[in-house]
Amino acid sequence: MSRLDLHLHTTHSDGSLTPSDVLVLAKKAGVTALAITDHDITTGIPEATASGQELGIEIIPGVEISSRFGDNELHLLGYFLDWQDPRLNDRLSALRASRHRRNPQIIERLQSLGIDIRYEEVRALAGTDAVGRPHIARILMEKKVVGSAKEAFDRFLAEGKPAYVPRELPEPAEAIEWIKAARGLAVLAHPTWVRASGDRLFDLVRDLKSDGLDGIEVHYSTHSRQQTREYLSLAKQVGLLVTGGSDFHGLTKPDIEVGIGKGSLHVPSTLLHQLKNAAARA
C-alpha cells in the first residue's frame, strides 16, 4: 500500500532526525511521496531530495509558517513552492529572528523559576537557525526537569504557563500571500489547533479561501474519524484541496510515526495528482 505524508519535520527546525533519516523511515513505512515542512525554513529540502532520489521517494518542496489568529496560532503549509525564492527566504529569516528575540525571554522566565538552563545550550542542541520551544523542551528533558516534551509544555511552555512568551507573527492572509508569491499552494494545517468548529470554522475557512487558501489538512495523526469526516465535508463545501500528513517530529512527539501517525493514519496517494494539477495552474 503506497502512502503519502505531507507534513514532516527534521533537524532543520524542531525535528530530531535529519532529512535522510526521515526518508529511511518513510521507505520502511511504504511512503512513496512526502513533503518536508520544517518551521520557517527550507534548508532541509536539498538533502531530502537527494535521499529521495536514492530511495525512490518523491519529494515535494514544503514549509510550515505560523500566523496569528486572535489569541491563538494558525499554521499554514506551503507546497510545491519555489523554496529558493529570495523574497520568501527573507520573510522566513525574519520569522526566525523573531524566535531568537522570544527564546531568551523564555529562558529568563525558566531561570526565575530556579531552573538551570542557558540559551546557548538550546542553540547548541538545535543545531539550526530555526530554534523553538520544542528545543527548550528537549533541554528540560535532558536535565530531568520533565519526563516528556508534553510535560514541558503543560508545565512551562504552553500559552498561559509560567514561561510562555507571545511571538511576533504575521496575519494568516499575509502568510498565505508569502506562499502564493513563491508560486506555492497554501494549506491550513491541523484545523483542530484553530479552536473553532461548526459555523465559525466554516466562516474562517471561507474567508481564508478568499485570501488565497488552496486546501485543508483533512488527514492528520490526531484527528478522530468524526473530525476527518467533518473536515472532508468542509473542504468539499468550500471547494478546497484535501491534504494530510503525520506531523512527525521524532523525540518531541514520540507516539507519531512517519507515514502512519499513531498507527491508523492513511493519506490516499490519489490526492497527489490533484495537488500537482493545482500546482501546475498556480
Side-chain angles (χ1 to χ4, degrees):
M1 179 187 297
S2 62
R3 296 178 180 274
L4 292 183
D5 195 336
L6 303 178
H7 193 161
L8 296 151
H9 298 275
T10 76
T11 48
H12 286 259
S13 63
D14 57 351
S16 62
L17 297 182
T18 66
S20 296
D21 289 339
V22 170
L23 266 289
V24 170
L25 294 179
K27 184 70 174 181
K28 292 179 180 178
V31 173
T32 55
L34 62 79
I36 296 296
T37 55
D38 279 314
H39 294 282
D40 310 331
I41 198 166
T42 59
T43 53
I45 293 173
E47 181 184 338
T49 301
S51 295
Q53 290 173 346
E54 293 179 4
L55 297 171
I57 299 175
E58 182 177 357
I59 304 301
I60 298 155
V63 70
E64 184 171 10
I65 300 174
S66 300
S67 68
R68 174 64 57 194
F69 177 63
D71 295 330
N72 303 318
E73 289 189 12
L74 184 152
H75 291 195
L76 292 152
L77 295 160
Y79 295 120
F80 294 102
L81 40 67
D82 178 3
W83 61 274
Q84 295 176 305
D85 180 78
R87 183 166 51 168
L88 172 67
N89 283 294
D90 284 346
R91 288 164 162 171
L92 296 180
S93 178
L95 271 184
R96 296 195 299 274
S98 76
R99 290 177 182 270
H100 292 306
R101 288 190 294 271
R102 173 204 207 190
N103 292 334
Q105 298 176 59
I106 296 175
I107 298 302
E108 288 177 5
R109 294 192 179 194
L110 289 169
Q111 290 171 342
S112 73
L113 296 171
I115 297 171
D116 177 21
I117 184 171
R118 293 174 293 110
Y119 191 37
E120 292 78 7
E121 294 177 288
V122 179
R123 295 201 67 166
L125 176 142
T128 175
D129 194 40
V131 185
R133 286 179 296 167
H135 297 116
I136 298 173
R138 285 173 59 187
I139 289 291
L140 293 175
M141 291 166 64
E142 288 189 2
K143 291 177 176 290
K144 310 298 183 185
V145 177
V146 298
S148 67
K150 183 180 184 304
E151 183 184 354
F153 276 83
D154 288 347
R155 288 178 58 189
F156 303 110
L157 304 176
E159 184 176 354
K161 301 304 178 180
Y164 178 77
V165 175
R167 185 178 164 209
E168 304 163 32
L169 294 172
E171 294 297 315
E174 186 179 2
I176 290 172
E177 193 276 327
W178 294 0
I179 294 168
K180 306 296 282 187
R183 297 175 293 283
L185 299 177
V187 172
L188 173 63
H190 36 61
T192 50
W193 286 30
V194 181
R195 300 180 190 174
S197 60
D199 291 342
R200 184 165 176 257
L201 181 60
F202 177 87
D203 291 343
L204 169 65
V205 171
R206 182 191 56 195
D207 291 345
L208 291 176
K209 185 184 179 185
S210 70
D211 293 326
L213 187 72
D214 297 291
I216 183 170
E217 190 172 45
V218 170
H219 306 281
Y220 185 70
S221 292
T222 60
H223 285 176
S224 66
R225 291 184 180 180
Q226 180 179 346
Q227 288 171 328
T228 300
R229 289 193 296 268
E230 176 188 351
Y231 301 143
L232 184 59
S233 175
L234 178 60
K236 290 179 179 178
Q237 290 179 64
V238 182
L240 291 172
L241 295 165
V242 172
T243 74
S246 64
D247 200 3
F248 174 83
H249 281 71
L251 287 177
T252 54
K253 294 185 178 181
D255 57 337
I256 293 177
E257 299 182 36
V258 175
I260 60 173
K262 292 193 172 184
S264 60
L265 177 70
H266 178 69
V267 184
S269 58
T270 52
L271 298 180
L272 184 58
H273 179 68
Q274 298 168 20
L275 293 169
K276 285 182 174 179
N277 284 342
R281 295 192 299 267

